[in-house]
């Protein structure tokens, strides 16, 4: 270590201070340089920036798995592990130098800090807590401290459901990351996923999804803590402890600060928090993080880099060498050293370690990264296999041997775990092809492995995207409500489409969802519903402005008795009627819909009620008429019973009153539309199609019946029809029809037939005839039932015709039927040939027989 370190500069500060940007700009003020990064991802990102700035021929990329070194390269962007030590450059920069205190990689950063310099400038970038160590190593180093551009503030504990958009959620194992991502997909539309174990290509693709605003959330491990510049407003920790390869431990304040510092970009403030399940954070630690004031690093890891490969013992001895300075911690049990110690105990390997060349070869093999993080015998067996194969084949890997290893990975099937494993495995061969001359066709395998890794990475990205991102959510990110409803509404069809997939159809003031809903994301579903709610609000306003004439009942003939009757606006059901305090005062109510506010539902119901009351008054008047005090008392009971029973009522109850009522009372009945028939009082205006069906609706609503059938109603103005379905008698009365043995006919037509029969009987018994059957549309047997209902009896002649006569004349008829045989009520008898008055009804009967 030299005190001549005036050309050393340390730019220190928390995240979002522009350290990397400043160093990047300084680099190009020199004619050549090396920039070492803690991650391959960052090296690639800055390499791409440099290529855009000065051209591809002057920039090199060197990482464990990728090497792009043009002959004219002047600027080298590398991972710290891959920084070349055999070139001379004017400026050398090392990023995140505080990682010298990291248990796993610290000794490598310490080696670069101590042993690699630029000819004119060496720059160390890192946190403020490394300042003490750097001054101990280089007393004359220039320290340039930078303040954070924006403020970082702690928020109280938050559940995932409360997280605002542009948030990152941090977890410390893959399963937890996937679990959180699934949760976010369901409730927030989706999340990008960033894991340290992902290939850089997959991580870049996932980051791009987030940066392009296709999702508003990022779920990541602490991999985002190093240099990833993302538009994150908030960082939430799902845990405050992690497994560091040895044991579970609490996160250090500076580690939390490093990750939380990703919230806020440039001058935009950021916030951080942790979930309830994460535990608790000491208020003093929170204050440290907000103020970026962490305890200084007291020691960093160190390992001797001047290794002796003359023998196994000398190599192990050189690894055991201790540092002189107290601020260095001797690094023991680094992964490469553990691998080496395990493999030298293998007899097959030890027999081949007599030469320095072979010993150096084994050491190089032991430094192949364990990309799968297996930490088990399989990894050691792979290293052993590589070593022995090289020894047996003159230090070259046979084409057939490596082809067998690589080709099995050239398969893009499987789920996320399988793809992740394949990527880890191919990265091993990518590393080998980029770092060693063990392959005859080095460039071929370099391209081949790189190509497979890229394809696997793309497939993994696609799988992650499908699993953790509902792409329909892209329509709603940063859009609280649809601005242009035509984006999802097909005009004049009311069908809702999202991303060319049908979601449902708007019917009335409700959305009928498709049976096969394409999205499992509650986020997209809730946003679709917000948009539909806006459309329906507009539809409600249109309805409230529409004329009452646009409202109607559903087709009553298609409405089952047990179901409520619906009210339609145009062709769409929007309301229903319910039982009220009386049969003529039902209640109109808007159909339930989650898309209707309470206020809108009341407004719709009020308009429907107004329409219903108007319909009742216009359609079934005078049933709703209050009895006038001027109505004569002698007919008040008649009027009351008629109006209470859908305008028709048996005359029998009031036959004695009818003999004495005045002409004035009859006139009052007539003005009310009430007609006096032989059997019934009835109101002809209520027997028309619309009033008749309206009365059927009122009956159905008031008497609530569980019958699972359609209302039996006359079709196309028919005055009679067959109905095999058993209905309560008061139903037939409600529509003004009479039911005799399932033959149903209208009261007014019945009265007409009854009138004709009474005219005929004045001349004596009469035969059935077409003038009796045609008006009501019945056959002989149906007429017989009607005549019996009217008080007539009958006998059947030899030509199968029915002869009708009053029942009280039956004895007289039997007296004249002793001699000749006829059928009377289907019984054979003889007719009496006694002479009768030729003008009497019985003489007529004799002539007919």
């Amino acid at each position: 270590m030299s005190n001549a370190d005036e050309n050393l500069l340390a730019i220190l500060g928390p995240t979002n201070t522009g350290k990397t940007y400043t160093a990047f700009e300084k680099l190009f003020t020199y004619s050549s340089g090396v920039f070492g990064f803690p991650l391959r991802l960052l090296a690639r990102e800055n390499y791409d920036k440099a290529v855009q700035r000065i051209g591809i021929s002057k920039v090199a990329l060197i990482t464990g798995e990728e090497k792009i070194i043009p002959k004219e390269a002047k600027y080298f962007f590398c991972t710290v592990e891959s920084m070349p030590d055999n070139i001379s450059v004017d400026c050398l920069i090392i990023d995140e130098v505080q990682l010298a205190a990291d248990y796993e990689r610290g000794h490598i950063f310490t080696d670069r800090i101590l042993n690699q310099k630029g000819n004119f400038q060496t720059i160390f970038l890192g946190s403020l807590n490394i300042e003490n160590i750097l001054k101990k190593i280089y007393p004359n180093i220039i320290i340039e401290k930078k303040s954070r551009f924006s403020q970082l503030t702690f928020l109280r504990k938050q559940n995932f459901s409360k997280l605002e958009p542009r948030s990152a959620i941090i977890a410390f194992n893959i399963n937890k990351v996937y679990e959180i991502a699934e949760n976010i997909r369901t409730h927030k539309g989706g999340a990008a996923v960033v894991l340290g174990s992902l290939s850089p290509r997959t991580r870049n693709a996932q980051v791009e999804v987030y940066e392009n605003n296709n999702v508003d959330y990022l779920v990541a491990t602490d991999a985002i803590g190093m240099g990833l510049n993302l538009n994150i407003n908030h960082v939430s920790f799902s845990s405050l402890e992690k497994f560091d390869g040895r044991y579970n431990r609490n996160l250090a304040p500076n580690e939390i600060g490093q990750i939380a510092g990703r919230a806020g970009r440039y001058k935009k403030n950021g916030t951080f928090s942790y979930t309830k399940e994460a535990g608790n954070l000491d208020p003093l630690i929170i204050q440290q993080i907000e103020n970026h004031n962490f305890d200084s690093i007291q020691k960093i890891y160190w390992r001797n880099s001047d290794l002796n490969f003359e023998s196994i013992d000398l190599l192990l001895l050189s690894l055991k060498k201790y540092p002189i300075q107290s601020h260095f911690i001797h690094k023991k049990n680094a992964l490469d050293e553990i691998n080496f110690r395990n493999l030298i105990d293998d007899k097959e390997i030890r027999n081949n370690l007599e030469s320095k060349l072979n010993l150096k070869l084994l050491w190089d093999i032991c430094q192949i990264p364990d990309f799968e993080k297996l930490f088990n015998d399989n990894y050691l067996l792979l290293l052993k296999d590589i070593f022995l194969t090289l020894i047996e084949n003159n230090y070259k890997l046979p084409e057939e041997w490596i082809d067998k290893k690589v080709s099995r990975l050239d398969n893009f099937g499987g789920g996320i775990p399988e793809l992740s494993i394949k990527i880890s495995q191919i990265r091993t061969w990518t590393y080998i092809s980029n770092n060693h001359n063990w392959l005859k066709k080095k460039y071929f395998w370099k391209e081949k492995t790189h190509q497979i890794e890229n394809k696997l990475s793309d497939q993994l990205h696609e799988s992650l995207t499908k699993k953790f991102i509902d792409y329909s959510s892209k329509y709603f990110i940063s859009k609280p409500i649809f601005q242009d409803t035509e984006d999802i509404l097909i005009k004049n069809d009311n069908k809702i489409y999202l991303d060319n997939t049908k979601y449902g159809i708007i019917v009335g003031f409700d959305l009928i969802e498709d049976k096969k809903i394409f999205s499992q994301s509650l986020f997209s579903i809730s946003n679709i519903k917000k948009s539909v709610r806006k459309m329906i609000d507009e539809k409600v306003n249109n309805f409230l402005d529409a004329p009452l004439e646009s409202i109607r009942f559903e087709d009553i003939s298609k409405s089952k008795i047990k179901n409520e009757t619906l009210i339609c606006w145009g062709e769409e059901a929007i309301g229903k009627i319910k039982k009220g305090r009386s049969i003529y005062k039902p209640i109109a109510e808007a159909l339930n819909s989650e898309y209707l506010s309470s206020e809108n539902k009341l407004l719709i119901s009020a308009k429907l009620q107004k329409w219903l009351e108007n319909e009742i008054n216009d359609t079934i008047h005078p049933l709703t008429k209050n009895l006038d005090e001027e109505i004569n008392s002698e007919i008040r009971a008649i009027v009351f019973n008629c109006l209470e029973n859908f305008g028709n009522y048996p005359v029998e109850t009031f036959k004695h009153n009818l003999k004495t009522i005045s002409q004035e009372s009859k006139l009052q009945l007539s003005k009310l539309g009430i007609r006096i028939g032989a059997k019934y009082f009835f109101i002809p205006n209520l027997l028309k199609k619309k009033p008749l069906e309206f009365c059927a609706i009122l009956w159905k609503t008031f008497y609530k019946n569980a019958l699972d059938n359609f209302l039996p109603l006359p079709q196309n103005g028919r005055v009679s029809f067959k109905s095999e379905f058993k209905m309560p008698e008061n139903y037939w009365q409600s529509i003004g029809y009479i039911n005799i043995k399932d033959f149903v006919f209208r009261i007014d037509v019945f009265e007409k037939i009854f009138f004709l029969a009474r005219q005929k009987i004045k001349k004596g018994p009469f035969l059935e005839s077409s003038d009796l059957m045609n008006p009501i549309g019945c056959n002989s047997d149906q007429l017989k039932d009607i005549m019996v209902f009217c008080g007539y009896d009958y006998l059947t002649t030899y030509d199968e015709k029915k002869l009708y006569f009053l029942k009280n004349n039956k004895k007289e008829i039997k007296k004249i039927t002793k001699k000749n045989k006829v059928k009377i009520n289907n019984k054979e008898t003889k007719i009496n040939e006694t002479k009768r008055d030729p003008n009497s009804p019985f003489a007529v009967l004799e002539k007919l027989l």
Side-chain angles (χ1 to χ4, degrees):
M1 291 170 286
S2 170
N3 288 334
D5 45 27
E6 290 82 2
N7 68 336
L8 297 179
L9 171 65
I11 303 176
L12 308 178
T15 55
N16 193 25
T17 56
K19 300 187 298 291
T20 306
Y21 174 80
T22 300
F24 187 84
E25 293 299 316
K26 283 181 176 289
L27 178 67
F28 293 107
T29 63
Y30 295 91
S31 60
S32 61
V34 171
F35 204 142
F37 293 92
L39 299 173
R40 174 185 171 188
L41 190 67
L42 293 176
R44 181 77 203 206
E45 179 184 321
N46 285 274
Y47 164 79
D48 291 337
K49 288 180 182 178
V51 167
Q52 290 180 355
R53 180 165 178 161
I54 61 172
I56 195 169
S57 63
K58 294 183 179 181
V59 185
L61 174 67
I62 306 176
T63 70
E65 301 152 68
E66 197 170 11
K67 282 184 172 57
I68 304 172
I69 309 175
K71 291 181 179 180
E72 300 177 3
K74 297 294 183 182
Y75 301 94
F76 298 81
F77 291 84
C78 321
T79 51
V80 169
E81 285 84 349
S82 300
M83 290 174 68
D85 57 5
N86 58 351
I87 60 173
S88 175
V89 293
D90 291 345
C91 179
L92 185 137
I93 305 169
I94 304 175
D95 192 18
E96 306 290 0
V97 289
Q98 75 277 2
L99 287 177
D102 180 74
Y103 177 77
E104 288 186 19
R105 302 172 68 197
H107 63 286
I108 299 169
F109 277 79
T110 300
D111 178 73
R112 304 300 185 264
I113 291 170
L114 294 175
N115 299 318
Q116 292 197 244
K117 302 290 186 299
N119 296 329
F120 298 105
Q121 179 85 75
T122 301
I123 303 174
F124 302 130
L125 309 177
S127 301
L128 291 165
N129 58 354
I130 195 67
E131 177 185 7
N132 179 54
I133 293 293
L134 292 177
K135 283 185 175 179
K136 286 182 178 180
I137 299 173
Y138 302 111
N140 295 324
I141 189 172
I142 299 171
I143 304 292
E144 182 182 319
K145 296 182 181 180
K146 283 187 168 288
S147 299
R148 185 175 163 89
F149 288 131
S150 61
Q151 187 176 351
L152 184 64
T153 308
F154 176 73
L155 299 180
R156 59 183 176 80
K157 291 182 180 180
Q158 289 182 312
N159 289 328
F160 297 136
S161 60
K162 302 295 182 183
L163 290 177
E164 294 294 327
R166 314 313 294 168
S167 292
I169 302 98
I170 309 302
F172 293 98
N173 69 69
I174 293 175
N175 291 336
K176 190 65 178 176
V177 167
Y178 290 164
E179 177 189 327
I180 294 170
E182 184 67 32
N183 185 304
I184 296 296
R185 180 192 189 277
T186 301
H187 296 94
K188 302 284 188 179
V193 174
V194 174
L195 303 165
S197 60
L198 296 179
S199 67
R201 187 180 179 90
T202 305
R203 272 184 287 175
N204 280 341
Q206 287 289 301
V207 166
E208 187 177 356
V209 167
Y210 176 81
E211 288 293 275
N212 289 343
N213 291 321
N214 289 326
V215 293
D216 263 336
Y217 298 88
L218 182 73
V219 185
T221 60
D222 50 352
I224 71 164
M226 294 292 175
L228 284 177
N229 295 313
L230 302 170
N231 288 304
I232 297 171
N233 296 338
H234 179 78
V235 171
S236 175
F237 291 84
S238 67
S239 175
L240 296 172
E241 64 176 33
K242 66 176 286 189
F243 179 74
D244 65 0
R246 293 174 295 169
Y247 50 81
N248 277 324
R249 62 172 179 82
N250 291 330
L251 294 171
N254 63 298
E255 290 177 306
I256 299 174
Q258 180 77 24
I259 300 167
R262 292 297 146 198
R265 190 169 184 181
Y266 193 45
K267 294 185 178 181
K268 186 174 184 179
N269 294 332
T271 55
F272 72 100
S273 67
Y274 52 90
T275 61
K276 292 180 180 179
E277 65 180 17
N280 289 294
L281 203 56
D282 191 294
L284 292 176
I285 294 177
I286 293 172
Q287 189 176 24
Q288 278 184 286
I289 296 167
E290 289 182 325
N291 297 329
H292 320 293
N293 182 22
F294 304 110
D295 295 338
S296 295
I297 294 172
Q298 300 300 318
K299 294 179 183 292
I300 58 176
Y301 287 95
W302 176 93
R303 187 177 75 178
N304 180 27
S305 57
D306 185 16
L307 301 179
N308 189 336
F309 291 99
E310 295 297 329
S311 68
I312 294 174
D313 292 336
L314 289 174
L315 177 56
L316 293 175
L317 187 63
S318 62
L319 286 169
K320 287 181 179 180
K321 184 177 180 180
Y322 275 79
I324 299 173
Q325 288 75 20
S326 61
H327 48 269
F328 291 147
I329 304 170
H330 179 229
K331 172 60 181 175
K332 300 177 182 178
N333 299 323
L335 183 59
D336 53 2
E337 184 178 345
I338 292 173
N339 293 336
F340 183 78
R341 289 181 181 276
N342 283 320
L343 289 174
I344 60 176
D345 290 335
D346 185 283
K347 290 183 180 179
E348 287 184 86
I349 290 178
R350 199 173 187 93
N351 291 337
N352 290 285
L353 293 179
E354 295 178 357
S355 69
K356 181 178 179 180
L357 178 62
N358 287 359
L359 190 59
K360 179 68 168 63
L361 174 64
L362 181 62
W363 179 253
D364 289 339
I365 291 172
C366 288
Q367 292 183 75
I368 296 174
D370 179 15
F371 291 107
E372 287 189 71
K373 306 296 182 186
L374 296 176
F375 304 110
N376 61 24
D377 291 344
N378 287 335
Y379 175 51
L380 290 174
L381 288 173
L382 173 64
L383 300 183
K384 175 184 176 181
D385 192 16
I386 293 171
F387 177 77
L388 294 178
T389 302
L390 286 168
I391 295 296
E392 293 168 2
N393 293 277
N394 197 26
Y395 303 104
K396 293 292 181 181
L397 294 173
E399 293 295 309
E400 299 81 8
W401 183 88
I402 191 170
D403 183 61
K404 184 178 180 182
K405 301 284 187 182
V406 171
S407 295
R408 65 185 180 85
L409 300 175
D410 196 4
N411 176 359
F412 313 121
I416 292 173
E418 293 87 349
L419 289 169
S420 297
I421 291 171
K422 288 177 183 177
I423 289 173
S424 298
Q425 292 172 342
I426 198 64
R427 288 178 74 182
T428 299
W429 304 109
T430 303
Y431 177 89
I432 290 172
S433 62
N434 275 277
N435 287 275
H436 299 287
N437 294 315
W438 303 335
L439 300 168
K440 293 178 182 178
K441 298 180 180 178
K442 178 179 178 180
Y443 293 104
F444 169 81
W445 290 110
K446 179 179 175 181
E447 291 298 318
K448 178 73 172 177
T449 55
H450 186 65
Q451 182 184 54
I452 293 173
E453 181 183 335
N454 285 346
K455 288 181 179 179
L456 287 169
S457 297
D458 291 341
Q459 187 65 39
L460 178 59
H461 167 65
E462 185 178 341
S463 298
L464 290 170
T465 299
K466 285 181 178 178
K467 184 170 180 62
F468 300 122
I469 300 174
D470 171 23
Y471 253 92
S472 62
S473 66
K474 66 185 177 183
Y475 295 97
F476 306 104
I477 301 298
S478 303
K479 296 178 184 177
I481 296 179
F482 262 102
Q483 300 302 314
D484 185 1
T485 56
E486 291 184 4
D487 288 344
I488 61 168
L489 180 64
I490 302 261
K491 284 186 175 180
N492 303 321
D493 203 4
N494 284 342
K495 291 178 181 175
I496 301 300
Y497 282 83
L498 194 62
D499 201 19
N500 296 320
T501 306
K502 184 180 177 183
Y503 180 83
I505 182 170
I506 295 177
V507 177
F509 302 126
D510 201 4
L511 176 69
I512 308 302
E513 295 174 358
D514 198 74
K515 290 181 180 178
K516 297 178 181 178
I517 293 180
F518 67 95
S519 172
Q520 298 301 315
S521 168
L522 296 179
F523 174 79
S524 286
I525 291 173
S526 64
N527 276 282
I528 290 172
K529 288 182 176 181
K530 285 180 184 178
S531 304
V532 170
R533 192 169 286 114
K534 181 183 176 184
M535 298 178 204
I536 288 178
D537 283 344
E538 294 175 357
K539 195 172 182 180
V540 168
N541 292 333
N542 292 336
F543 167 74
L544 296 175
D545 292 336
L548 292 177
E549 290 76 14
S550 62
I551 305 172
R552 63 175 183 83
F553 279 121
E554 65 176 326
D555 185 348
I556 189 63
S557 65
K558 298 178 181 177
S559 174
K560 287 199 171 182
I561 298 168
K562 66 179 182 179
N563 297 336
E564 293 172 311
T565 302
L566 301 178
I567 304 173
C568 299
W569 179 40
E571 298 299 320
E572 299 176 344
I574 61 169
K576 61 185 179 181
I577 62 171
K578 297 169 59 179
K579 181 177 180 178
R581 64 178 184 271
S582 77
I583 200 164
Y584 302 126
K585 294 187 180 295
I587 298 168
E589 184 180 273
L591 293 176
N592 288 328
S593 170
E594 64 176 294
Y595 300 95
L596 284 180
S597 65
S598 299
E599 181 183 0
N600 278 345
K601 186 175 180 181
L602 289 173
L603 290 172
I604 294 167
S605 298
K607 181 161 185 172
L608 293 178
Q609 187 68 38
K610 181 179 179 181
W611 168 81
L612 181 60
E613 290 171 359
N614 288 351
E615 285 291 296
I616 291 172
N617 289 334
D618 294 343
T619 307
I620 59 171
H621 180 81
L623 295 185
T624 57
K625 183 177 177 64
N626 292 323
L627 290 183
D628 195 327
E629 291 183 1
E630 295 181 1
I631 292 177
N632 291 344
S633 58
E634 62 181 343
I635 63 165
R636 183 173 290 275
I638 295 174
V639 174
F640 176 81
N641 280 281
C642 284
L643 299 187
E644 285 293 308
N645 292 278
F646 296 98
N648 55 81
Y649 200 73
V651 167
E652 181 70 20
T653 308
F654 297 100
K655 65 179 180 178
H656 296 297
N657 303 54
L658 291 176
K659 293 177 181 179
T660 59
I661 64 171
S662 64
Q663 191 62 33
E664 181 185 355
S665 294
K666 290 181 179 180
L667 185 59
Q668 284 188 341
L669 284 174
S670 180
K671 286 182 178 180
L672 289 171
I674 300 173
R675 300 289 179 265
I676 304 172
K679 280 278 187 179
Y680 291 96
F681 298 104
F682 62 94
I683 300 177
N685 285 340
L686 296 182
L687 301 177
K688 296 175 182 178
K689 178 177 170 54
K690 183 177 179 181
L692 180 151
E693 292 184 348
F694 203 105
C695 288
I697 291 171
L698 294 177
W699 177 88
K700 170 184 163 184
T701 303
F702 189 78
Y703 289 106
K704 286 188 175 183
N705 201 302
L707 293 172
D708 188 21
N709 205 338
F710 299 106
L711 281 172
L713 290 166
Q715 300 295 318
N716 303 319
R718 293 173 60 186
V719 297
S720 66
F721 60 96
K722 259 312 244 191
S723 176
E724 296 178 358
F725 188 68
K726 302 300 179 185
M727 293 291 292
E729 280 303 315
N730 65 347
Y731 168 73
W732 301 116
Q733 183 181 8
S734 74
I735 65 171
Y737 276 66
I738 301 167
N739 185 352
I740 298 178
K741 294 184 179 180
D742 298 333
F743 181 63
V744 188
F745 44 90
R746 209 166 69 192
I747 283 179
D748 60 336
V749 180
F750 162 76
E751 288 289 351
K752 181 179 179 181
I753 300 305
F754 195 17
F755 174 78
L756 289 173
R758 284 185 290 119
Q759 294 301 313
K760 288 176 179 286
I761 202 65
K762 288 179 182 179
K763 297 178 182 180
F766 57 91
L767 283 171
E768 64 185 18
S769 58
S770 60
D771 61 335
L772 290 173
M773 291 186 281
N774 288 346
I776 205 165
C778 65
N779 58 32
S780 176
D781 287 337
Q782 291 166 341
L783 179 64
K784 173 202 69 177
D785 294 332
I786 294 171
M787 289 296 100
V788 171
F789 176 73
C790 292
Y792 292 90
D793 209 338
Y794 69 95
L795 58 84
T796 304
T797 66
Y798 280 107
D799 58 357
E800 299 299 323
K801 291 204 172 188
K802 295 178 179 65
L803 180 72
Y804 293 102
F805 51 88
L806 290 173
K807 288 182 180 179
N808 55 8
N809 288 335
K810 191 171 184 178
K811 291 180 180 180
E812 293 295 324
I813 290 176
K814 284 186 177 182
K815 287 179 182 178
I816 66 169
T817 58
K818 291 180 180 179
K819 186 174 182 180
N820 297 319
K821 291 182 179 181
V822 297
K823 292 179 182 177
I824 299 177
N825 292 343
N826 296 322
K827 293 180 181 178
E828 194 174 76
T829 187
K830 289 183 178 181
I831 294 179
N832 189 350
E833 294 181 347
T834 306
K835 295 279 186 176
R836 298 287 182 183
D837 181 353
N839 296 320
S840 72
F842 303 104
V844 174
L845 176 61
E846 286 186 66
K847 291 177 182 178
L848 290 171
L849 297 174

